């Protein structure tokens, strides 16, 4: 049976033969009768013969006589069984020289599977064969050389397996020739030691490190031989590489037994190494204090070279700072105890002074006579600076350099003690930078840090040397004002601070405007301890924030009452979800042309069991501040989606329901998953859910925000910008984000009939929406005059008390069933 096809002729010989003409290899083809019918131009140029001379059996005339029978026999044997072959023989080149070639032949088959002959290619391997011969000769010489060497030589392959060795290596390792032939690094015949006489892993020995790193490795290696003796070797391992390869194929290691030398030199070498490489400066003097030797660290510390120091005395380092009795006491200790240690101030060659940690020891001979003094010292300038820096950082803020909470507490304690003794008043000001988080989030932490540094600098310029400014962390600062005669003094200081901070900060070519809320607590009126003053100043600061920010407030007891109410409100808010105290009201949104209801805005209401109805203006900011807005917002989404689907199931016309998303909810929660889950659980299509976002959220438009909006839009939901016009002036974000609707803030709608500026703003927003093909809805529409203005300006839609107040779901259901709004006649007119 014929062997399976190796290749087909159709995929080769269907191409023009000229494709093979300039192949760098010699190409031939034979037909089914064993006769060659083709040779490429490269073959013909190699042999110097024509195609007519080569075809048939003519090519065999170039085969060397010694190779002829073997070559032709191999060719015919494989041709008979139709199997691939590879053979080496000498072929005469055009210049008469015979060159060794390697000839590879493969049978070919046509598309029907019929044998079609052979195709072959030849490479000139003369140079390779010559190189191999040279290598064999070189190997013989190398073996002779290795056998005569006194050093041990070992060659291992890339896996650490022994390839060769000489007799000296076997003798050094304490192994017989038989043991060397069977030796494996892992068989335990030899235990390896580091230079520190610790057991060494196989990977630690130089040979294996050279293989691992591809770089030569040399060093001292200890071995415990099988006869129990320990020897120390100097090893040098060099990796060997294949040509054009960066991976070692083998490693050659030379071994020299240095046991005797090591034993005799170890102590001297160790002492010299310690002396030379010590990071501390060392001076060795004779008994007359004449310098005999110095180390490298001495030159680095003092600036004097060894040549300049040797022959002199250590007095060349004398700074002149210490008095005579200092040195008298030092030498008294040296002569009495043979040792002295302490800190001195010395002088370098360039005249600069430095603190030094110095120890001086006496060296005596067997007769107890002093022969040498050894002084060891180091420059401790950096250590002193580090100690000072550590001490500073322990009590100061790393960013601003201001006193931190610990130092402020200490200074306030001292100020209170002094004020109590002298009957003085103290003012503690608690400052909080308004809206710092917005700056930090939108412009980055680096800009925020630079702003805090600028604030710290201005605050420092507002106080006296006897006062203290402290950064407590984040954007909070505390100021201790001492020697206050009246509360008015503290008020004037607060006004001065607010005035200084009112000017914009120039940071990285950007003008940043800031404001502070300041709370003031007085000693002794508002507290007599550090804790009470800080607590009450903090309470006053929150009161200042609630009063409109960029102002100050003094503490009074009513603020504590407000703080307790706030805490009570927060505790109630945390239980509201569990107790089912939340409900949603819905306010219709109407088309100003047709009067149809085109949407509902879901508005959260809280009816507490213990506190009654609580205004959203009170509990929503608190929910955002303490993070509860995330679970509450999730509940709002789920409830609004279920209600919208319920109205559809009752047969009412489908209208979108709008839900407000807070910035905190958008950033902290997986809002995309939350919205998707709410839609899926309720069965509401994304088309009928509208998410209202604030301008400030969109202005923090990093890649995450843009990606999140894209994912939300992919769910099919509508996106609108709530309170449009009250945020930033840049409108570039309108082009980047997939927004469907602009919602005009009610603050502009309220006075459009009387205030030309508000009217102009509303008109501009409507025109902007029309230009960008966005729907525009005006909230807070309460009078017919406002509605008429909006209709005249072609505003799309409106919502407000003119049409309907927010209603519970049941009332909205009745409204939908009735089919019209109370204001429908106005719209019709």
């Amino acid at each position: 049976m014929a062997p399976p096809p190796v290749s087909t002729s159709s995929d080769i010989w269907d191409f023009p033969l000229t494709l093979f003409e300039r192949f760098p290899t010699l190409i031939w083809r034979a037909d089914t009768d064993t006769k060659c019918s083709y040779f490429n131009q490269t073959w013909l140029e190699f042999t110097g013969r024509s195609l007519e001379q080569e075809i048939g059996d003519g090519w065999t005339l170039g085969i060397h006589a010694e190779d002829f029978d073997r070559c032709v026999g191999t060719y015919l044997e494989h041709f008979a069984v139709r199997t691939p072959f590879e053979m080496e023989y000498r072929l005469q080149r055009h210049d008469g020289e015979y060159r060794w070639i390697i000839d590879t032949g493969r049978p070919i088959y046509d598309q029907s599977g019929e044998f079609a002959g052979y195709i072959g290619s030849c490479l000139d391997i003369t140079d390779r064969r010559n190189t191999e011969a040279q290598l064999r000769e070189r190997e013989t010489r190398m073996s002779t050389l290795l056998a005569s060497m006194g050093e041990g030589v070992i060659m291992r392959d890339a896996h650490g397996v022994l390839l060769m060795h000489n007799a000296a290596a076997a003798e050094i390792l304490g192994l017989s020739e038989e043991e060397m032939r069977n030796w494996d690094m892992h068989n335990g015949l030899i235990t390896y030691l580091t230079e520190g006489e610790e057991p060494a892993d196989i990977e630690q020995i130089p040979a294996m490190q050279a293989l691992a790193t591809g770089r030569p490795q040399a060093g001292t290696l200890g071995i415990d031989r099988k006869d129990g003796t320990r020897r120390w070797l100097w090893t040098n391992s060099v990796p060997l590489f294949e040509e054009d390869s960066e991976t070692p194929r083998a490693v050659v290691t030379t071994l020299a037994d240095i046991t005797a030398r090591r034993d005799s030199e170890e102590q001297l070498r160790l002492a010299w190494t310690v002396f030379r490489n010590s990071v501390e400066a060392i001076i060795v003097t004779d008994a007359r204090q004449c310098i005999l030797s110095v180390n490298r660290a001495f030159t680095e510390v003092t600036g004097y070279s060894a040549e300049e120091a040797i022959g002199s005395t250590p007095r060349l380092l004398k700074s002149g700072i210490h008095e005579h009795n200092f040195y008298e006491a030092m030498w008294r200790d040296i002569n009495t105890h043979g040792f002295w240690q302490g800190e001195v101030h010395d002088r370098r060659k360039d005249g600069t002074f430095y603190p030094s940690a110095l120890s001086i020891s006496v060296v005596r001979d067997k007769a107890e006579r002093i022969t040498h003094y050894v002084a060891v010292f180091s420059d401790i300038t950096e250590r002193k600076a580090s100690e000072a820096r550590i001490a500073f950082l322990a009590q100061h803020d790393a960013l601003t350099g201001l006193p931190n909470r610990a130092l402020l507490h200490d200074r306030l304690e001292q100020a209170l003690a002094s004020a109590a003794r002298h009957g003085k008043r103290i003012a503690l000001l608690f400052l909080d930078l308004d809206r710092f988080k917005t700056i930090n989030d939108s412009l980055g932490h680096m800009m925020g840090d630079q702003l805090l540094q600028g604030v710290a600098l201005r605050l420092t310029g507002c106080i006296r040397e006897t006062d203290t400014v402290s950064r407590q962390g984040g954007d909070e600062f505390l100021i201790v004002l001492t020697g206050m005669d009246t509360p008015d003094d503290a008020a004037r200081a607060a006004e001065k601070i607010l005035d200084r901070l009112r000017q914009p900060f120039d940071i990285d070519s950007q003008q940043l405007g800031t404001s502070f809320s300041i709370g003031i607590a007085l000693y002794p009126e508002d507290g007599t301890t550090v804790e009470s003053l800080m607590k009450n100043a903090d309470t006053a600061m929150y009161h200042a924030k609630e009063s409109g920010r960029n102002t100050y407030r003094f503490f009074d007891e009513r603020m504590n009452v407000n703080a307790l109410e706030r805490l009570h409100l927060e505790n109630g808010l945390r239980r509201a979800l569990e107790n089912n105290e939340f409900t949603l009201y819905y306010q219709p949104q109407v088309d100003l042309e047709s009067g149809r209801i085109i949407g509902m805005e879901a508005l959260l209401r809280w009816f507490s069991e213990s506190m009654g109805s609580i205004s959203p203006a009170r509990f929503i900011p608190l929910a955002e501040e303490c993070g509860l807005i995330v679970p509450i917002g999730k509940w709002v989404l789920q409830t609004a989606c279920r209600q919208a689907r319920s109205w559809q199931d009752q047969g009412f016309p489908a209208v979108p329901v709008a839900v407000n998303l807070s910035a905190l909810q958008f950033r902290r929660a997986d809002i995309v998953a939350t919205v998707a889950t709410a839609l899926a659980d309720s069965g509401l299509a994304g088309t009928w859910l509208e998410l209202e976002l604030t301008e400030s959220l969109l202005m923090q438009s990093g890649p995450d925000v843009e990606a999140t909006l894209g994912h939300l839009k992919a769910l099919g939901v509508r996106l609108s910008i709530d309170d449009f016009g009250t945020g930033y002036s840049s409108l570039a974000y309108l082009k980047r984000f997939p927004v469907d609707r602009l919602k005009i803030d009610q603050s502009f709608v309220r006075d459009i009939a009387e205030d030309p500026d508000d009217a102009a703003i509303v008109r501009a927003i409507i025109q902007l929406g029309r230009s960008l093909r966005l729907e525009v809805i005006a909230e807070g529409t309460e009078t017919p005059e406002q509605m008429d203005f909006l209709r005249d300006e072609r505003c799309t839609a409106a919502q407000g008390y003119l049409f309907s107040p927010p209603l519970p779901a049941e009332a909205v259901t009745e409204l939908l069933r009735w089919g019209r709004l109370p204001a429908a006649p106005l719209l019709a007119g």
Side-chain angles (χ1 to χ4, degrees):
M1 174 182 275
V6 174
S7 62
T8 64
S9 62
S10 62
D11 57 351
I12 296 176
W13 298 106
D14 287 348
F15 293 100
L17 292 177
T18 53
L19 290 177
F20 297 98
E21 287 299 287
R22 289 300 175 183
F23 267 39
T25 55
L26 285 62
I27 306 295
W28 57 268
R29 184 190 191 265
D31 296 329
T32 56
D33 59 357
T34 75
K35 307 298 184 183
C36 289
S37 59
Y38 170 76
F39 295 92
N40 69 348
Q41 188 64 31
T42 306
W43 176 292
L44 300 177
E45 289 176 357
F46 180 88
T47 63
R49 293 158 57 85
S50 67
L51 179 63
E52 290 74 15
Q53 292 173 308
E54 295 290 315
I55 59 177
D57 296 328
W59 65 278
T60 62
L61 297 176
I63 301 174
H64 195 283
E66 295 177 3
D67 303 330
F68 185 88
D69 291 342
R70 175 175 52 82
C71 174
V72 173
T74 299
Y75 176 79
L76 294 175
E77 287 173 7
H78 284 276
F79 210 103
V81 294
R82 302 175 185 178
T83 57
F85 65 82
E86 183 176 281
M87 59 184 176
E88 296 181 11
Y89 58 90
R90 282 166 286 183
L91 185 67
Q92 189 175 41
R93 197 167 59 183
H94 59 83
D95 58 1
E97 179 184 356
Y98 281 95
R99 304 288 291 180
W100 281 98
I101 67 170
I102 182 169
D103 191 343
T104 303
R106 298 287 183 272
I108 55 178
Y109 295 81
D110 60 21
Q111 291 181 343
S112 62
E114 293 294 326
F115 175 64
Y118 265 76
I119 186 169
S121 63
C122 305
L123 288 175
D124 187 335
I125 61 171
T126 306
D127 293 339
R128 191 191 77 187
R129 288 180 65 97
N130 291 339
T131 300
E132 291 173 350
Q134 293 172 0
L135 288 175
R136 284 192 295 272
E137 181 183 355
R138 197 174 299 169
E139 183 177 351
T140 301
R141 291 200 302 268
M142 183 64 68
S143 298
T144 303
L145 177 62
L146 290 176
S148 64
M149 287 181 62
E151 286 187 336
V153 179
I154 293 174
M155 177 182 285
R156 297 181 175 90
D157 66 12
H159 303 290
V161 177
L162 184 69
L163 299 177
M164 60 161 289
H165 69 282
N166 65 354
E171 182 179 352
I172 291 172
L173 296 175
L175 301 176
S176 66
E177 285 298 321
E178 179 66 22
E179 288 171 330
M180 285 295 294
R181 281 192 294 273
N182 299 319
W183 178 44
D184 183 279
M185 298 173 68
H186 301 276
N187 63 9
L189 286 176
I190 294 175
T191 300
Y192 298 100
L193 304 169
T194 66
E195 194 167 2
E197 303 190 26
E198 296 291 333
D201 294 333
I202 299 300
E203 291 75 14
Q204 291 180 276
I205 70 173
M208 300 308 292
Q209 290 181 336
L211 285 173
T213 64
R215 296 190 297 272
Q217 301 287 332
T220 300
L221 181 67
I223 60 170
D224 283 338
R225 306 195 301 187
K226 70 183 184 69
D227 61 6
T229 60
R230 175 169 293 184
R231 311 297 289 177
W232 290 98
L233 313 179
W234 175 257
T235 69
N236 186 20
S237 297
V238 179
L240 304 180
F241 299 88
E242 296 284 2
E243 187 175 355
D244 299 327
S245 173
E246 296 182 357
T247 302
R249 66 176 178 83
V251 60
V252 175
T253 301
T254 58
L255 309 174
D257 190 333
I258 59 169
T259 306
R261 187 182 71 191
R262 186 180 189 276
D263 291 343
S264 62
E265 295 178 350
E266 181 65 22
Q267 292 303 318
L268 180 61
R269 184 191 65 81
L270 180 61
W272 174 247
T273 301
V274 171
F275 175 80
R276 178 180 175 82
N277 297 314
S278 173
V279 296
E280 295 182 299
I282 302 176
I283 301 174
V284 179
T285 76
D286 60 17
R288 296 175 299 168
Q289 301 178 33
C290 180
I291 297 176
L292 301 177
S293 180
V294 296
N295 67 348
R296 184 167 46 204
F298 170 88
T299 299
E300 294 173 353
V301 172
T302 68
Y304 290 100
S305 67
E307 292 76 11
E308 291 172 318
I310 293 174
S312 182
T313 71
R315 285 189 290 275
L316 87 163
L317 304 178
K318 192 173 181 179
S319 65
I321 294 176
H322 302 287
E323 296 181 357
H324 181 69
N325 58 3
F326 172 83
Y327 294 104
E328 283 186 342
M330 180 181 74
W331 281 106
R332 187 164 53 248
D333 285 351
I334 293 172
N335 293 327
T336 302
H337 307 292
F339 180 79
W340 181 88
Q341 184 174 21
E343 291 186 10
V344 298
H345 282 82
D346 284 336
R347 181 171 55 188
R348 296 185 180 88
K349 180 181 177 180
D350 61 10
T352 58
F353 298 96
Y354 63 96
S356 171
L358 170 66
S359 65
I360 300 175
S361 300
V362 173
V363 179
R364 300 179 186 272
D365 61 15
K366 294 181 180 179
E368 290 298 314
R369 292 189 298 264
I370 295 177
T371 60
H372 300 85
Y373 293 100
V374 178
V376 180
F377 63 96
S378 59
D379 182 351
I380 57 174
T381 303
E382 291 187 6
R383 192 186 81 188
K384 289 285 190 181
S386 296
E387 290 173 352
R389 178 63 177 166
I390 291 171
F392 180 84
L393 290 177
Q395 295 186 315
H396 292 78
D397 172 51
L399 177 65
T400 63
L402 295 176
N404 62 11
R405 186 184 300 271
L407 183 55
L408 184 280
H409 191 284
D410 182 62
R411 290 189 179 178
L412 185 52
E413 286 275 18
Q414 297 179 32
L416 288 173
S418 176
R421 287 195 304 270
H422 299 97
K424 293 292 185 179
R425 179 181 278 109
I426 292 175
L428 180 64
L429 278 60
F430 198 118
L431 295 78
D432 184 85
L433 185 57
D434 297 329
R435 300 184 181 89
F436 176 71
K437 189 176 186 308
T438 300
I439 295 173
N440 225 18
D441 290 346
S442 58
L443 300 180
H445 292 286
M446 290 186 64
M447 291 281 282
D449 288 348
Q450 293 181 59
L451 174 60
L452 291 174
Q453 290 170 337
V455 167
L457 190 62
R458 290 193 189 178
L459 289 178
T460 304
C462 292
I463 64 169
R464 303 161 300 177
E465 291 185 0
T466 56
D467 302 327
T468 299
V469 179
S470 166
R471 180 177 178 230
Q472 298 295 287
D475 57 351
E476 295 180 344
F477 296 82
L478 280 177
I479 299 179
V480 178
L481 302 177
T482 59
M484 297 285 102
D485 293 326
T486 67
D488 289 342
D489 293 337
R492 281 190 292 271
E495 290 171 355
K496 178 182 178 181
I497 291 170
L498 291 174
D499 184 62
R500 287 290 300 275
L501 296 174
R502 191 172 291 114
Q503 302 302 317
F505 289 81
D506 188 359
I507 299 177
D508 286 348
S509 302
Q510 293 197 48
Q511 296 287 316
L512 294 183
T514 62
S515 65
F516 264 93
S517 298
I518 303 178
I520 305 174
L522 299 174
Y523 167 85
E525 292 93 333
D526 302 327
T528 57
T529 66
V530 171
E531 291 74 17
S532 61
L533 283 175
M534 291 182 68
K535 172 180 173 295
N536 293 337
D538 185 25
T539 300
M541 182 273 294
Y542 276 106
H543 190 62
K545 279 189 176 294
E546 293 171 355
S547 301
R549 304 176 188 265
N550 197 31
T551 186
Y552 65 89
R553 287 292 183 270
F554 283 92
F555 174 79
D556 64 47
E557 192 57 36
R558 285 174 297 178
M559 293 182 184
N560 273 336
V561 175
N562 293 337
L564 289 174
E565 290 179 353
R566 176 188 177 88
L567 180 62
H568 184 55
L569 188 66
E570 181 178 338
N571 290 335
L573 192 59
R574 293 184 184 278
R575 297 189 299 269
L577 269 178
E578 300 175 8
N579 296 339
N580 297 318
E581 295 177 355
F582 288 122
T583 188
L584 288 185
Y585 274 38
Y586 300 87
Q587 187 171 35
Q589 299 171 338
V590 299
D591 183 282
L592 288 176
E593 288 296 324
S594 65
R596 291 185 300 104
I597 296 176
I598 59 171
M600 296 283 180
E601 180 178 5
L603 300 168
L604 183 62
R605 295 295 184 262
W606 179 19
F607 299 97
S608 170
E609 293 180 0
S610 59
M611 294 178 284
S613 177
I614 301 171
S615 168
R618 289 185 63 196
F619 74 82
I620 289 181
L622 181 60
E624 291 181 335
E625 184 178 326
C626 61
L628 291 172
I629 197 65
V630 174
I632 293 174
K634 181 178 181 180
W635 178 87
V636 170
L637 270 170
Q638 293 171 339
T639 304
C641 289
R642 284 197 299 268
Q643 183 59 63
R645 177 66 192 203
S646 174
W647 282 328
Q648 293 180 17
D649 292 342
Q650 294 177 55
F652 299 120
V655 293
V657 60
V659 175
N660 285 277
L661 289 185
S662 76
L664 184 65
Q665 183 183 5
F666 187 88
R667 286 194 299 266
R668 292 191 182 178
D670 186 353
I671 191 61
V672 177
T674 300
V675 172
T677 300
L679 292 172
D681 291 348
S682 64
L684 183 70
T687 309
W688 306 113
L689 175 63
E690 179 176 320
L691 300 177
E692 296 187 358
L693 311 169
T694 62
E695 280 189 277
S696 60
L697 169 62
L698 296 181
M699 284 302 293
Q700 300 167 17
S701 53
D704 291 344
V705 173
E706 294 189 38
T708 300
L709 292 177
H711 293 320
L712 289 172
K713 197 64 182 173
L715 296 176
V717 303
R718 294 162 51 86
L719 300 176
S720 66
I721 302 178
D722 194 20
D723 301 336
F724 186 78
T726 61
Y728 295 84
S729 58
S730 173
L731 300 176
Y733 66 89
L734 288 178
K735 296 192 300 181
R736 296 201 309 271
F737 299 138
V739 175
D740 300 292
R741 175 189 276 189
L742 305 180
K743 196 168 188 182
I744 304 174
D745 186 64
Q746 60 182 345
S747 62
F748 300 126
V749 176
R750 184 182 302 115
D751 297 322
I752 52 176
E754 297 83 18
D755 190 330
D757 291 337
D758 284 348
I761 292 173
V762 172
R763 188 179 294 111
I765 294 174
I766 296 171
Q767 292 174 355
L768 175 66
R770 189 180 305 119
S771 300
L772 296 177
R773 294 185 293 278
L774 300 175
E775 298 178 23
V776 179
I777 182 171
E779 65 177 352
T781 306
E782 299 180 352
T783 68
E785 291 78 13
Q786 295 168 351
M787 182 188 66
D788 291 340
F789 178 91
L790 295 171
R791 292 181 66 183
D792 292 342
E793 296 298 331
R794 297 168 60 193
C795 182
T796 309
Q799 74 179 80
Y801 277 75
L802 176 65
F803 310 109
S804 172
L807 299 171
E810 297 79 7
V812 172
T813 303
E814 292 302 317
L815 197 64
L816 292 173
R817 184 173 289 111
W818 185 39
R820 56 185 293 162
L821 294 170
L826 292 173
L827 288 165

